[in-house]
């Protein structure tokens, strides 16, 4: 009889997306599987065709596992599984001990490599199951038709037609230290608007504060038409907008990882984080970063770095040249798009 597998992941969106190839491989072992993670992220992955049965990793099914007294509901729910894979950097001993009592076959996937180990995160995680494992390519996402129609209507109101170039930009990130200067994004947009007149989709969400979002709104009001602000939308809707873009530009963020698995042409601007470890998974990803003697930097060390030269020394021209290269490729492969 096929066994039931529970996959539990306590990371954010970018972290879960870097685990997605391995999660999909584990899922192939049985048709009976359940993935628990940050709820907005696992909902997104279910909605676009990657996951089936899901739950929130911080919800009622798991909360009492972090206490000495596990409630009856999680015991009853978890007892249906024969095996569990826990993706974590925290390794909470009480949580793991309680979970292991209910599901004896437990495998911990450590999500962060030890200091000094430089290999891609997806490879590091897969090696913990099998050093010779071949990770599958992430299949095409299936954007729900209703969300797709909403995204297209939103674009049409901004003047989009099938011959228009669409550029999506997420200038934020969960960490302010990972953000290329917002003013440089605006400068880049003005240059591209003057030369190519594309439709721009600027994306912001819960990770960015109100001042950041208000600055984007003010820029759009002063530089319309042809610019849209997708603000605080659900992730499945964000995926629908990204699926309609030809080029994506952003920092090291969850949205950048999402754009990459949707097979966008992605330009990812990296600062202190190490792209050897954290580069998005897509085939069409170009990382822009500046190398210094202190590169790559640790998360702790970056907190004391006042200059952040690894980001501030990335010029608008550097990013523009990469965008222009992508536009030339699109021009060759999609001659119906006008510039």
């Amino acid at each position: 009889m096929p066994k039931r597998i529970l996959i539990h992941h306590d990371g954010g969106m970018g972290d879960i997306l870097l685990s997605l190839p391995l999660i999909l491989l584990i899922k192939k072992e049985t048709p009976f599987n359940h993935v628990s993670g940050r709820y907005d992220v696992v909902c997104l992955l279910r909605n676009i065709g990657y996951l089936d049965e899901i739950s929130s990793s911080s919800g009622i099914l798991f909360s009492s596992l972090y206490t000495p007294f596990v409630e009856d509901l999680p015991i009853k729910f978890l007892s249906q599984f024969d095996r569990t894979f826990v993706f974590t950097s925290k390794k909470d001993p009480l949580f793991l001990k309680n979970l292991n009592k209910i599901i004896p076959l437990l495998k911990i996937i450590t999500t962060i490599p030890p200091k000094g180990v430089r290999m891609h995160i997806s490879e590091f995680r897969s090696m913990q199951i099998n050093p010779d494992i071949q990770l599958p390519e992430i299949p095409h996402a299936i954007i729900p038709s209703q969300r797709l129609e909403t995204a297209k209507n939103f674009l049409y109101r901004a003047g989009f037609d099938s011959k228009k170039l669409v550029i999506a930009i997420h200038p934020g990130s969960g960490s302010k230290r990972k953000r290329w200067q917002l003013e440089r994004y605006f400068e880049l947009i003005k240059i591209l608007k003057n030369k190519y007149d594309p439709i721009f989709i600027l994306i912001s969400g819960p990770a960015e504060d109100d001042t950041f979002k208000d600055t984007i709104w003010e820029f759009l009001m002063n530089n319309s038409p042809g610019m849209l602000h997708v603000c605080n939308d659900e992730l499945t809707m964000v995926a629908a907008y990204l699926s309609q873009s030809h080029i994506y530009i952003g920092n090291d963020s969850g949205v950048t990882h999402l754009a990459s698995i949707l097979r966008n042409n992605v330009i990812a601007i990296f600062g202190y984080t190490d792209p050897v470890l954290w580069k998005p998974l897509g085939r069409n990803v170009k990382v822009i970063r500046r190398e210094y003697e202190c590169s790559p930097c640790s998360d702790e060390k970056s907190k004391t770095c006042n200059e952040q030269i690894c980001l501030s020394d990335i010029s608008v021209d550097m990013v523009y040249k990469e965008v222009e290269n992508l536009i030339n490729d699109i021009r060759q492969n999609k001659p119906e798009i006008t510039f």
Side-chain angles (χ1 to χ4, degrees):
M1 184 176 179
K3 298 190 178 297
R4 294 187 65 98
I5 291 177
L6 170 71
I7 300 170
H8 186 277
H9 203 305
D10 60 18
M13 177 160 69
D15 203 32
I16 293 176
L17 293 178
L18 286 171
S19 297
L20 187 57
L22 184 54
I23 290 172
L24 295 177
L25 193 64
I26 293 170
K27 277 177 79 258
K28 286 184 177 180
E29 292 186 20
T30 171
F32 302 104
N33 53 73
H34 182 104
V35 179
S36 175
R38 205 180 89 178
Y39 196 62
D40 59 340
V41 180
V42 292
C43 273
L44 160 72
L45 296 177
R46 179 189 61 188
N47 291 345
I48 62 177
Y50 296 128
L51 303 181
D52 303 311
E53 193 175 287
I54 62 168
S55 64
S56 170
S57 57
S58 60
I60 192 171
L61 291 174
F62 298 95
S63 56
S64 70
L65 290 170
Y66 294 91
T67 73
F69 305 102
V70 182
E71 297 174 356
D72 290 338
L73 179 61
I75 292 175
K76 183 178 179 180
F77 170 75
L78 294 169
S79 295
Q80 68 181 305
F81 297 101
D82 306 291
R83 190 175 188 188
T84 182
F85 293 86
V86 179
F87 290 74
T88 183
S89 62
K90 304 168 187 174
K91 295 185 181 178
D92 185 285
L94 192 54
F95 172 82
L96 293 171
K97 180 181 177 182
N98 286 331
L99 185 59
N100 202 197
K101 284 180 181 178
I102 306 168
I103 311 174
L105 284 176
L106 184 149
K107 173 65 177 176
I108 299 171
I109 309 294
T110 303
T111 52
I112 306 296
K115 188 176 180 180
V117 174
R118 291 189 75 199
M119 68 171 64
H120 196 267
I121 291 296
S122 61
E123 181 184 354
F124 171 73
R125 294 172 186 177
S126 67
M127 285 183 65
Q128 295 172 61
I129 293 180
N130 183 344
D132 300 319
I133 203 167
Q134 292 293 316
L135 290 174
E137 184 174 0
I138 298 173
H140 277 290
I142 304 168
I143 307 296
S145 57
Q146 185 177 6
R147 305 302 211 295
L148 202 55
E149 196 62 30
T150 300
K152 288 179 178 178
N153 288 336
F154 189 52
L155 287 167
Y156 287 137
R157 288 198 296 272
F160 170 77
D161 62 52
S162 59
K163 295 182 179 180
K164 272 275 191 180
L165 180 70
V166 180
I167 299 177
I169 296 175
H170 178 226
S173 175
S175 169
K176 292 181 180 179
R177 290 173 287 119
K178 294 181 181 179
R179 297 178 187 172
W180 194 46
Q181 295 91 326
L182 186 55
E183 295 74 18
R184 295 192 183 181
Y185 276 109
F186 292 161
E187 186 181 343
L188 176 66
I189 288 170
K190 288 179 180 178
I191 294 170
L192 292 169
K193 182 176 174 62
N194 288 335
K195 185 163 185 181
Y196 298 107
D197 192 31
I199 297 289
F200 290 98
I201 306 171
L202 275 79
I203 299 167
S204 64
E208 290 81 48
D209 58 35
D210 289 341
T211 301
F212 189 90
K213 294 167 189 172
D214 289 344
T215 305
I216 293 175
W217 281 116
E218 183 179 355
F219 174 77
L220 264 63
M221 285 189 291
N222 293 330
N223 292 276
S224 293
M227 297 189 192
L228 302 166
H229 187 190
V230 173
C231 182
N232 293 338
D233 229 324
E234 60 153 342
L235 289 177
T236 308
M237 202 61 241
V238 172
Y241 292 121
L242 291 174
S243 74
Q244 298 303 296
S245 65
H246 301 99
I247 295 171
Y248 169 89
I249 309 165
N251 307 309
D252 177 13
S253 71
V255 178
T256 299
H257 287 279
L258 175 57
S260 78
I261 71 163
L262 295 172
R263 303 193 179 182
N264 287 74
N265 294 299
V266 169
I267 293 175
I269 301 172
F270 271 63
Y272 75 88
T273 46
D274 188 354
V276 172
L277 277 70
W278 299 104
K279 181 181 178 180
L281 287 170
R283 286 182 291 177
N284 304 316
V285 177
K286 171 66 179 180
V287 171
I288 298 178
R289 77 187 304 254
R290 296 296 297 266
E291 291 282 352
Y292 292 93
E293 290 183 0
C294 55
S295 301
C297 185
S298 68
D299 191 57
E300 286 302 314
K301 186 178 178 181
S302 71
K303 293 176 183 177
T304 62
C305 178
N306 296 321
E307 296 182 9
Q308 293 286 316
I309 57 172
C310 51
L311 271 177
S312 62
D313 278 8
I314 295 175
S315 68
V316 172
D317 189 56
M318 284 176 64
V319 181
Y320 171 73
K321 285 178 179 177
E322 294 300 335
V323 178
E324 196 167 46
N325 289 338
L326 285 178
I327 289 174
N328 289 333
D329 290 342
I330 292 169
R331 181 182 276 136
Q332 291 178 8
N333 297 322
K334 296 184 177 181
E336 72 276 9
I337 296 176
T338 56
F339 299 92

